[in-house]
Amino acid sequence: MRLIIVDGLDGVGKDTQAQLIKKRYEEKGDKVVIRSHPESDNFFGRKAKKALLRQGKLNKLKAAVFYMLDVLRSIRKYYRNKEIDTLIMVRYLVGTAYLPERLAKVSYHFFLGFVPTSKYMFFLDAPPEAMLRRVSDRDEKEMFETHSEFVKVRKKALLLVKNWNIIDTSGSIDQTFSRIKKILNQIDSS
């Protein structure tokens, strides 16, 4: 099974790019599943989303814990499923960057020991101003969707994902997908 991870902060285009990656592999004949966390099809995902829509330190902690439980549930249910050729996990490990700085690094490395990784790990990045602009028209605002939170969390996230494929999403959707597709082609042919 090919495991593709598409991660990044809100407003960088994770779900859009995951759909384009899915289409690419389906056109090659793959059975593709996308898990975009937090998912609404289970208790952990619903609790994570509920906490994200509230404020305060306790809700930040709840959001991170339930988010990781949602990811672990997806791994248990879909990873190594013989009927799936490509599993795309959206919002995977970088959710730990929303925790306080010291805890973020420890949590990231802790969960890194429990979750599968691959060569197909993409961190989508954009300047905080671009992320804020992209989420401004959403009906529901999450606690981390402010300029100051984007700046703070982005800084922690970039320290965590040093060995990932980091993709600048400041340009168009097509420009971003072109960069991702180039890396997918290189990995697929190696």
Side-chain angles (χ1 to χ4, degrees):
M1 171 189 288
R2 178 184 298 107
L3 174 64
I4 300 175
I5 293 141
V6 180
D7 219 325
L9 305 187
D10 291 348
V12 295
K14 296 176 300 295
D15 289 306
T16 300
Q17 295 303 321
Q19 288 297 328
L20 292 169
I21 294 167
K22 178 182 185 199
K23 181 180 177 190
R24 176 186 188 275
Y25 284 104
E26 284 178 337
E27 288 174 353
K28 294 176 180 257
D30 277 14
K31 167 82 168 121
V32 182
V33 170
I34 294 178
R35 296 296 293 168
S36 183
H37 305 96
E39 286 284 4
S40 60
D41 65 356
N42 69 88
F43 173 80
F44 302 124
R46 288 188 299 272
K47 290 295 249 184
K49 184 66 175 176
K50 189 175 178 180
L52 283 169
L53 294 173
R54 295 184 173 163
Q55 298 296 317
K57 290 181 181 182
L58 181 60
N59 281 308
K60 282 184 180 185
L61 184 59
K62 281 182 183 179
V65 169
F66 284 118
Y67 160 84
M68 286 311 297
L69 291 170
D70 186 29
V71 169
L72 292 172
R73 179 190 175 276
S74 289
I75 292 166
R76 195 183 103 251
K77 189 168 183 175
Y78 296 95
Y79 187 67
R80 293 198 179 118
N81 181 324
K82 303 285 187 224
E83 297 175 18
I84 300 171
D85 300 304
T86 301
L87 175 61
I88 302 171
M89 301 285 264
V90 181
R91 295 176 200 87
Y92 193 64
L93 274 167
V94 179
T96 56
Y98 291 97
L99 293 168
E101 191 163 348
R102 194 175 294 150
L103 191 55
K105 188 174 182 178
V106 170
S107 297
Y108 176 84
H109 290 289
F110 174 78
F111 282 109
L112 198 56
F114 286 98
V115 299
T117 58
S118 80
K119 297 179 275 187
Y120 298 91
M121 294 175 74
F122 295 92
F123 179 77
L124 306 187
D125 186 37
E129 297 75 21
M131 290 184 277
L132 192 59
R133 193 172 48 254
R134 291 174 184 171
V135 301
S136 65
D137 62 348
R138 292 186 183 167
D139 292 334
E140 296 180 308
K141 295 283 187 254
E142 294 180 1
M143 70 173 76
F144 297 107
E145 292 178 345
T146 67
H147 187 271
S148 62
E149 286 292 331
F150 280 142
V151 169
K152 186 168 55 174
V153 176
R154 180 176 181 248
K155 180 181 173 187
K156 288 186 278 185
L158 286 169
L159 291 173
L160 298 175
V161 298
K162 289 179 184 173
N163 298 322
W164 293 43
N165 298 295
I166 299 173
I167 307 293
D168 179 2
T169 66
S170 297
S172 71
I173 291 169
D174 290 336
Q175 289 170 326
T176 299
F177 186 60
S178 177
R179 291 181 190 111
I180 291 172
K181 195 164 60 172
K182 182 178 178 182
I183 295 169
L184 292 173
N185 290 337
Q186 290 171 347
I187 298 170
D188 285 346
S189 65
S190 62

